[in-house]
Structure formats: C-alpha cells, structure tokens
Amino acid sequence: MKKILLFTAFITLISLSFTSCKKKDKEETTTEKVQHKWTLVTVVSNSHDAGGDNIITIPGSPGDYINFNSNGTYTSFTGGTSDSGNYSIVSDSQISIDGDVYTIKTLTSAQFVLYFKDEISATEYDEATINLSR
C-alpha cells in the first residue's frame, strides 16, 4: 500500500512540474508580424484644405492584397493593378514603404492598420488610413 501511495505521489509531483514549467510563447517581432499576405479591407483618405475635410472611403475588392516578403520587398494587387517595391521596419510603430514613412496604428495577427500624413502647408494636408486583415 505504501508503494502505491509513494508511486501516486511521485506521478503527481512529476505532472505538476511539467505543467508549472510551461515555456512562454515567443513574442513575434514587428518584422515577423508584418511579413504576411494581408487582405485590403479599406483605404480612408482625407484631403484637408481651407474648406475642411474631404473624406473618401474606398473598400477593398475581392482579391486585393499586400504581401510583405521576408527580403524587404512587397507585392500588391489593388484595384486591378499589380505593384511591387521595398519596405523596411523603422521602429515598432513605423514602417517605410517606398520611402514614405507610415505609422503603425495596429498590428496583431489578424489586423494591420497603417496611417500616413503629408503636410502640404500649415493648413492643408493629405492623410490616409489603410486597413488590412488576415
């Protein structure tokens, strides 16, 4: 009987040590999170001038995507047109695409939101928010 109790206690102890020492999942870097094929959901653009905001929302069409490759290049298909170019991660909150620096508003395994603002003058600017999903 003692052997059975000791054996049961030993098995319980081993089981607890395996479950309590579970390794944490490695957090993906910004680069690793970006390097996927993303579906274009919408592009929201605003051309602000003295007359105010001129907001246009363009939904993505079926098959529209941007694919960020691991070699620092991207390919895209939007509005029936293919494109390609270069990108680089500037920081955890910024990405450079063909020389334009975008702010990364959201980056999860399912959602990627980019924001770009081009100041034309003290009172005029163009901005765009690109909503992507996986």
Side-chain angles (χ1 to χ4, degrees):
M1 183 71 168
K2 257 186 172 180
K3 285 183 181 183
I4 293 173
L5 286 174
L6 283 172
F7 182 72
T8 305
F10 177 72
I11 294 298
T12 303
L13 182 63
I14 295 294
S15 298
L16 288 174
S17 68
F18 282 117
T19 58
S20 65
C21 293
K22 183 179 176 185
K23 292 182 180 179
K24 293 182 180 180
D25 291 334
K26 180 184 167 249
E27 179 72 22
E28 281 188 309
T29 65
T30 300
T31 301
E32 291 168 333
K33 289 179 186 177
V34 166
Q35 292 174 348
H36 293 284
K37 184 175 183 178
W38 296 91
T39 300
L40 178 64
V41 178
T42 59
V43 176
V44 181
S45 65
N46 179 26
S47 182
H48 180 85
D49 57 25
D53 289 327
N54 300 297
I55 299 172
I56 299 171
T57 301
I58 303 166
S61 298
D64 285 355
Y65 70 87
I66 301 174
N67 187 18
F68 292 96
N69 303 303
S70 61
N71 64 357
T73 64
Y74 73 88
T75 54
S76 66
F77 182 80
T78 56
T81 304
S82 296
D83 192 20
S84 63
N86 298 305
Y87 79 93
S88 63
I89 304 300
V90 177
S91 68
D92 286 341
S93 63
Q94 291 184 319
I95 183 172
S96 175
I97 302 173
D98 289 335
D100 293 326
V101 178
Y102 291 75
T103 300
I104 298 171
K105 292 288 194 178
T106 305
L107 180 56
T108 67
S109 61
Q111 186 179 21
F112 189 12
V113 179
L114 298 170
Y115 173 78
F116 179 77
K117 185 173 184 178
D118 181 24
E119 296 198 19
I120 300 165
S121 70
T123 58
E124 296 180 21
Y125 59 86
D126 292 329
E127 62 185 345
T129 301
I130 303 167
N131 296 289
L132 306 165
S133 70
R134 283 197 330 167

